[in-house]
Amino acid sequence: MRDSGSTTREAVLDIEGMTCASCVARVEKRLVAVDGVAAAVNLATESAHVSYPADLPEERLVQAVAQAGYTARIRPVHTRAHPDGGRVHEAEDAPGVTTLRTRLMVSTALAVPVVALGMVPAWQFPGWQWLSLVLAAPVVLWGGWPFHRATFANLRHGALTMDTLITMGTFAAFGWSLWALLFGSAGRWGIRHEVVLIGPVHDATSLVYFEVAAAVTVFLLLGRYIEQRSRRAAGAALRALGELTVPEVELVDGRTVPLETLRPGDVFVTRPGGTLATDGTVVDGRADVDESMLTGEAVPVAVVPGSSVTGGTIVHGGALSVRADAVGADTRLARIAQLVENAQMGKSRVQRLADRISAVFVPIVIALAVFTLIGWILAGGSVPEGFVAAVAVLIIACPCALGLATPVAILVGTGRGAQLGILVTGPDALENAQRIDTVVLDKTGTVTTGRMRVRRAVVAPGVDEARARRIAAALEAGSEHAVARALTLPDAPVVADFAAVPGRGVLGEVEGVRAFAGNAALAAAEGAQLPADLAAALEDSMGTNVIVGWADDDGRMHAAAVFELEDAVREDAAEAVAELSHGGMRVLLLTGDAEPIARRVAAEVGIGEVRAQVGPEGKLAAITQLKAEGRRVAMVGDGVNDAAALAASDLGIAMGAGTDAARHAGDITLTGSRLSQVGTALSLSRRVMSVIRGNLFWAFAYNVAALPLAASGLLNPMIAGAAMAFSSLFVVLNSLRLRSAR
């Protein structure tokens, strides 16, 4: 539970017992019926994300779920801070999966001889039906108990679900067979029997269907077991984030303590090859840090004292002492995991439609099964023929695939995105991303790195460039300005009498002489004249300039060099722009910088359209204009001045190294520093939505095609059970293809 405002809170509920889309719809309906509650229930994650009034007891949420016929528990806050919600277990270790596997194995062993006896007349012997009864009974009653338990629990609350169809179908086949065996007109020991897999039942005296009840139960157990394992695999990316954490941490004083006891301000040690316990600042040591799992960056980042590091990343080449800055739910890893899980809990517009259909689907199917039986009798068919057709209708129509079509695809897709350094806020962002035709790029911090570098150096006649660089580095070493970092050197001399002149530059004594580094105003204030070469360099410059000078033997200041600085273009910027253009995207550069600088950067990366000297209001106006022209616009930015444009665009993409305002306004956040992730994000979104559409199409098409076959008697219940299980498996396997998306 956490506050999301002064009057509302948010909580995550872990829900047990949901099996299909109609279950999801029922739980959601009960939760939102509570005053002030908004809920999104997800079958794939078996959880609900709930927003509720701050004065509402959490127990009321649990009660609402119980009223729907399911059990729920509030996920503890410390568990929610864990990147996988506290569910890091192997599939076989989960209690529900182990029980299901046991039921499947035992039921299969019992059902095989039942099916063999029913299908191979040569193996039948006097009284074989009684052996079939003895073997089939535990399969139907014990093996199928997970379905029956859910059915009875839901019936107590007036709910009809997928499990209702399974229970009705298997109980009908088993009950009819038991009645026929005990009281059938063909005689207790002389009942004739045949099995027809596809096509009408031609023998009206084929009254015993124990193998149907047993085989259908086994097929459904197999489908449910594979489904659970596949859904487990679908969440692998989120669990991988969870596995980045360490259970214990070594403090700088040598003590080893549990991670949950670590507090901000504590200093801990990470050895080479070790995992950083939490977010912090390096206080001692130098090393390379592998951030690939969080950012998708393959190249390790060099860190030194003062560098910020992220929990879950791996240290190479040295030991680090780190001061913890954030712990638990406040870490970057936990926030990323929360974003991923929130996205996985959401629903696309098309899935919400499927849920509404599924909510009324089960009653319609039950009515259709009754009409099928009545129709067969009225049409002159036998009761057994009508009965088999009705059972097939009940079995084939289970809407499990509809419930899994969207959430499993989103689960896999957003998890894969997290592995690639792409965080998606939810299904709406995925739907919007697939329709984008225009990409607007900010310049500083987006197309460029936001870090200044020396583009060229111009020195006065007789001046040693190396000395000019050394003096500039010494002066700038004491400055925090972004310009200063471009001029610093690791072996710069020590500066004395340092002074910063706001808005102009810095002064100090270096190697025994008075020196300065700054703009033209500072040079003029120091009485330094600019030689013609330096004046020409300033005139031609399209970047930021730093004038460096020092005093001669007479104490007079002279301008010795001009360093022209530029914001370095990202290494992959040109490739990223080319990829977007080849994909049919219109690409624009939108920046507050001067026109010459903007056009130089645009030309370097291959952008043809440039709008320069545009402030925050101008960026917002540009996005609004493009949308008015009918364009579907994605805005990519990183700064506070981009926040309004990010929020107004159809799809806001925030660079992960940018400001909090930009990240909060964006629909997608790129945790790495590669512009090529923009194209990857759009491509991944299109693939996820394509898979969702394919899943829903086949789930609907399966029911539309199969129900008439079942009602007409052309589909045996055993085949119906296998087909129903396969439909769910198909949806999951189709979604798992996204695990290899790039």
Side-chain angles (χ1 to χ4, degrees):
M1 177 265 296
R2 65 182 179 87
D3 291 327
S4 60
S6 58
T7 60
T8 61
R9 293 181 176 180
E10 294 180 0
V12 176
L13 278 67
D14 292 319
I15 301 174
E16 295 181 5
M18 295 190 301
T19 56
C20 64
S22 56
C23 299
V24 170
R26 181 167 179 78
V27 173
E28 212 164 70
K29 182 178 179 180
R30 286 286 185 174
L31 284 171
V32 300
V34 181
D35 289 341
V37 171
V41 182
N42 191 297
L43 177 62
T45 58
E46 297 179 288
S47 59
H49 186 270
V50 184
S51 174
Y52 61 99
D55 58 353
L56 182 73
E58 288 186 334
E59 292 73 18
R60 183 68 185 87
L61 303 176
V62 176
Q63 292 171 3
V65 175
Q67 290 169 0
Y70 307 90
T71 58
R73 63 179 179 87
I74 302 291
R75 188 177 298 175
V77 174
H78 74 276
T79 303
R80 263 174 271 156
H82 194 280
D84 80 331
R87 293 184 174 186
V88 180
H89 307 286
E90 292 300 321
E92 285 76 13
D93 294 337
V97 177
T98 302
T99 302
L100 200 59
R101 181 174 60 179
T102 302
R103 291 180 190 273
L104 174 61
M105 294 173 64
V106 174
S107 297
T108 301
L110 295 174
V112 167
V114 176
V115 174
L117 286 172
M119 296 181 65
V120 185
W123 293 354
Q124 296 172 2
F125 52 86
W128 66 269
Q129 298 95 333
W130 293 98
L131 177 61
S132 295
L133 168 62
V134 171
L135 295 176
V139 175
V140 174
L141 300 177
W142 175 79
W145 178 242
F147 308 113
H148 310 325
R149 179 180 54 201
T151 295
F152 300 142
N154 284 299
L155 284 176
R156 287 198 300 270
H157 298 86
L160 301 175
T161 67
M162 179 196 79
D163 298 294
T164 308
L165 300 181
I166 295 173
T167 297
M168 289 182 66
T170 54
F171 273 24
F174 184 81
W176 180 281
S177 301
L178 181 60
W179 180 89
L181 183 59
L182 296 175
F183 310 108
S185 59
R188 292 186 179 181
W189 303 102
I191 291 175
R192 293 163 56 199
H193 182 89
E194 67 180 49
V195 174
V196 181
L197 296 181
I198 300 179
V201 179
H202 298 293
D203 187 350
T205 63
S206 301
L207 303 176
V208 178
Y209 303 111
F210 288 127
E211 79 286 342
V212 170
V216 165
T217 300
V218 169
F219 281 134
L220 297 178
L221 281 172
L222 177 62
R224 183 69 60 84
Y225 175 69
I226 295 175
E227 175 190 309
Q228 284 197 6
R229 287 180 58 87
S230 299
R231 280 158 54 181
R232 186 74 186 165
L238 194 57
R239 291 196 308 281
L241 289 176
E243 291 164 2
L244 291 177
T245 59
V246 292
E248 296 181 328
V249 58
E250 180 186 350
L251 299 181
V252 71
D253 60 10
R255 291 182 296 133
T256 299
V257 299
L259 177 62
E260 56 266 24
T261 65
L262 194 67
R263 295 291 178 265
D266 291 345
V267 179
F268 61 91
V269 177
T270 305
R271 310 289 180 187
T275 299
L276 286 162
T278 193
D279 299 356
T281 302
V282 177
V283 296
D284 187 36
R286 296 172 181 268
D288 292 329
V289 175
D290 180 0
E291 299 182 342
S292 58
M293 184 57 194
L294 293 178
T295 66
E297 298 276 4
V299 180
V301 177
V303 297
V304 297
S307 298
S308 296
V309 291
T310 302
T313 54
I314 300 173
V315 176
H316 296 291
L320 296 176
S321 295
V322 180
R323 182 182 66 250
D325 294 336
V327 297
D330 296 326
T331 64
R332 185 184 182 196
L333 181 62
R335 291 197 301 269
I336 288 174
Q338 189 61 58
L339 281 173
V340 175
E341 188 168 9
N342 288 345
Q344 293 174 347
M345 286 183 177
K347 295 181 182 180
S348 66
R349 288 184 286 270
V350 69
Q351 179 62 30
R352 288 192 287 268
L353 173 62
D355 285 350
R356 288 194 293 271
I357 294 173
S358 296
V360 299
F361 189 71
V362 174
I364 291 175
V365 169
I366 294 174
L368 180 59
V370 173
F371 290 145
T372 297
L373 176 58
I374 295 173
W376 271 87
I377 295 173
L378 293 178
S382 68
V383 173
E385 288 176 324
F387 167 77
V388 172
V391 171
V393 167
L394 291 173
I395 298 300
I396 198 71
C398 297
C400 189
L402 287 177
L404 295 172
T406 292
V408 174
I410 291 175
L411 182 68
V412 180
T414 53
R416 179 56 180 161
Q419 290 178 324
L420 297 173
I422 300 166
L423 302 181
V424 183
T425 58
D428 288 341
L430 294 172
E431 289 186 324
N432 292 335
Q434 66 169 335
R435 295 190 290 268
I436 294 301
D437 57 26
T438 302
V439 178
V440 177
L441 302 174
D442 171 51
K443 184 184 78 69
T444 305
T446 301
V447 175
T448 64
T449 63
R451 297 187 298 272
M452 304 298 286
R453 68 179 181 185
V454 178
R455 181 170 179 264
R456 65 169 178 164
V458 179
V459 297
V463 173
D464 179 18
E465 181 178 335
R467 185 189 182 196
R469 282 185 176 271
R470 194 167 60 252
I471 290 177
L475 292 169
E476 297 291 5
S479 174
E480 295 295 326
H481 197 279
V483 168
R485 290 193 290 272
L487 293 170
T488 55
L489 295 174
D491 56 349
V494 178
V495 61
D497 295 332
F498 176 82
V501 183
R504 294 190 176 186
V506 291
L507 300 165
E509 185 174 316
V510 182
E511 296 178 338
V513 298
R514 188 70 177 166
F516 71 90
N519 56 22
L522 180 61
E526 292 297 311
Q529 297 295 320
L530 268 68
D533 292 351
L534 302 189
L538 292 177
E539 186 73 23
D540 298 338
S541 175
M542 291 193 298
T544 300
N545 298 285
V546 177
I547 303 171
V548 178
W550 54 83
D552 59 15
D553 294 338
D554 297 330
R556 291 182 301 177
M557 283 287 190
H558 295 276
V562 170
F563 294 98
E564 182 182 338
L565 309 181
E566 66 176 0
D567 187 359
V569 173
R570 294 189 186 276
E571 293 182 359
D572 67 333
E575 178 185 349
V577 171
E579 180 184 356
L580 291 171
S581 299
H582 292 158
M585 301 288 174
R586 175 183 175 188
V587 184
L588 296 84
L589 185 68
L590 194 63
T591 178
D593 273 355
E595 185 87 16
I597 297 175
R599 292 205 172 276
R600 177 178 58 79
V601 171
E604 186 173 342
V605 300
I607 299 176
E609 293 186 62
V610 178
R611 300 186 187 185
Q613 295 179 297
V614 179
E617 298 83 0
K619 291 184 177 182
L620 176 59
I623 298 297
T624 304
Q625 178 188 346
L626 288 168
K627 291 176 66 175
E629 295 172 359
R631 312 293 298 192
R632 296 281 186 171
V633 184
M635 172 69 191
V636 187
D638 76 312
V640 173
N641 62 338
D642 300 320
L646 286 167
S649 61
D650 295 296
L651 182 72
I653 302 178
M655 302 297 288
T659 63
D660 287 341
R663 289 195 292 272
H664 292 160
D667 302 300
I668 293 176
T669 299
L670 309 179
T671 62
S673 59
R674 292 175 293 123
L675 193 61
S676 58
Q677 289 177 300
V678 174
T680 303
L682 296 178
S683 174
L684 179 63
S685 300
R686 286 192 292 269
R687 285 199 60 181
V688 171
M689 292 309 301
S690 175
V691 167
I692 289 174
R693 284 192 295 269
N695 286 349
L696 288 170
F697 171 79
W698 287 111
F700 276 115
Y702 157 81
N703 281 301
V704 170
L707 279 173
L709 288 174
S712 62
L714 296 175
L715 204 58
N716 182 274
M718 279 196 296
I719 300 300
M724 192 280 286
F726 175 76
S727 69
S728 298
L729 181 59
F730 170 81
V731 164
V732 175
L733 293 179
N734 189 43
S735 300
L736 288 176
R737 294 189 300 117
L738 293 168
R739 296 175 70 182
S740 60
R742 292 192 176 277

